[in-house]
């Protein structure tokens, strides 16, 4: 995702610039991906290869392309920029793995990085006149091509006003997110915050910490210049 999404170099909302300018239109970046990719269907391994390519295109999920001999009878379509390679719909198998890690929704991106730092950047969160958070003891998460977000220890949050919802989302770099609603004076606002209770190893520093959706709360976050909507989640909630 990182080359083509968010503020990545192949996205229309790119943060930087190139010289000469990148061409307009449907840019594709395709590269060898020397990792073992396997897929299972009905309990059987139907793909097992170390010859996959990664296909990056603006506005589309990152995709694997496989040599035609590696995909058997699975549904597929040719990859026009890589003769002899095809893409396989993600949902045409039951489970995908990359070097033993089970994947969800899309391949992980080698250009994507999660970087965590303790900070004194202030975060204030208010709902219906009630302050949920007001602290400068925060953690800032930098994630490639996305706006930084502030996370906060639940000890700094009015957790007595929060309750877990049924919403979840998945991130290939952080793991499964849990969502939280807030109830103030009998009024409930759903999914105002999310947290990763058991994050992937590269994001272990945010385990149990909370981040807040600025579209659901009154949020003031001290973030680096040029940041967009503070705290916005890159994940797609699943309800």
């Amino acid at each position: 995702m990182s080359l083509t999404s968010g503020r990545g170099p192949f996205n229309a909302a790119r943060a930087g610039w190139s010289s000469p300018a990148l061409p307009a239109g449907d840019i594709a970046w395709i590269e060898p991906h020397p990792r073992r990719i396997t897929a299972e269907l009905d309990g059987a391994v139907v793909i097992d290869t170390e010859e996959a390519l990664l296909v990056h295109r603006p506005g589309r999920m990152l995709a694997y392309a496989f040599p035609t001999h590696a995909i058997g009878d699975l549904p597929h379509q040719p990859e026009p920029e890589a003769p002899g390679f095809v893409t396989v719909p993600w949902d045409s198998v039951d489970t995908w793995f990359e070097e033993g890690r089970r994947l969800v929704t899309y391949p992980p991106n080698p250009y994507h990085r999660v970087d965590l730092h303790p900070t004194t950047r202030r975060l204030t969160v208010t709902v219906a006149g009630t302050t949920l958070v007001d602290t400068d003891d925060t953690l800032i998460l930098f994630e490639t091509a996305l706006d930084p977000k502030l996370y906060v220890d639940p000890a700094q949050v009015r957790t007595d006003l929060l309750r877990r919802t049924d919403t979840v989302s998945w991130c290939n770099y952080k793991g499964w997110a849990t969502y939280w609603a807030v109830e103030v004076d009998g009024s409930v606002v759903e999914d105002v915050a999310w947290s990763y209770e058991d994050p992937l190893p590269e994001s272990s520093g945010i385990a149990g910490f909370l981040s807040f959706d600025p579209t659901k709360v009154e949020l003031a976050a001290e973030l680096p210049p040029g940041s967009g909507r503070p705290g916005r989640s890159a994940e797609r909630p699943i309800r």
Side-chain angles (χ1 to χ4, degrees):
M1 291 174 61
S2 302
L3 293 177
T4 59
S5 70
R7 296 182 294 167
F10 291 165
N11 190 280
R14 65 181 68 95
W17 57 92
S18 66
S19 181
L22 290 170
D26 187 14
I27 300 172
W29 175 259
I30 301 175
E31 60 184 334
H33 194 60
R35 305 182 188 185
R36 187 178 185 184
I37 310 303
T38 57
E40 296 180 358
L41 177 64
D42 296 330
V45 174
V46 290
I47 295 177
D48 186 348
T49 182
E50 296 179 81
E51 301 179 74
L53 304 177
L54 278 181
V55 181
H56 308 253
R57 278 196 172 89
R60 305 187 198 179
M61 284 290 190
L62 183 66
Y64 294 124
F66 301 102
T68 53
H69 66 78
I71 57 96
D73 296 328
L74 292 173
H76 60 275
Q77 58 184 21
E79 173 45 62
E81 306 303 328
F85 283 77
V86 297
T87 57
V88 174
W90 193 264
D91 60 0
S92 64
V93 303
D94 297 326
T95 315
W96 292 94
F97 295 90
E98 183 173 294
E99 292 290 353
R101 175 184 281 188
R102 182 171 180 169
L103 306 181
V104 180
T105 69
Y106 55 89
N109 193 311
Y111 299 104
H112 199 106
R113 174 186 169 92
V114 174
D115 198 11
L116 308 171
H117 297 279
T119 184
T120 57
R121 294 179 181 273
R122 190 157 209 91
L123 175 67
T124 303
V125 179
T126 305
V127 175
T130 298
T131 299
L132 301 183
V133 180
D134 185 4
T135 184
D136 61 4
D137 182 8
T138 54
L139 185 70
I140 189 166
L141 183 146
F142 295 96
E143 190 166 358
T144 307
L146 302 176
D147 288 332
K149 305 171 184 66
L150 292 183
Y151 280 75
V152 61
D153 190 309
Q156 305 288 337
V157 180
R158 286 286 306 274
T159 54
D160 58 304
L161 301 178
L162 300 182
R163 62 167 176 79
R164 184 170 178 168
T165 73
D166 293 331
T167 305
V168 296
S169 66
W170 169 258
C171 170
N172 260 342
Y173 318 99
K174 300 188 292 293
W176 286 105
T178 296
Y179 285 73
W180 302 86
V182 62
E183 183 172 356
V184 176
D185 296 331
S187 178
V188 176
V189 184
E190 298 289 341
D191 299 335
V192 300
W194 64 89
S195 61
Y196 295 87
E197 303 307 304
D198 185 23
L200 295 172
E202 56 265 41
S203 300
S204 60
I206 58 170
F209 278 46
L210 291 154
S211 193
F212 289 82
D213 185 341
T215 68
K216 303 285 187 73
V217 299
E218 298 172 45
L219 186 148
E222 183 186 353
L223 288 171
S227 299
R229 297 168 62 186
R232 184 181 179 188
S233 174
E235 284 68 71
R236 294 188 171 103
I238 304 168
R239 294 180 176 84

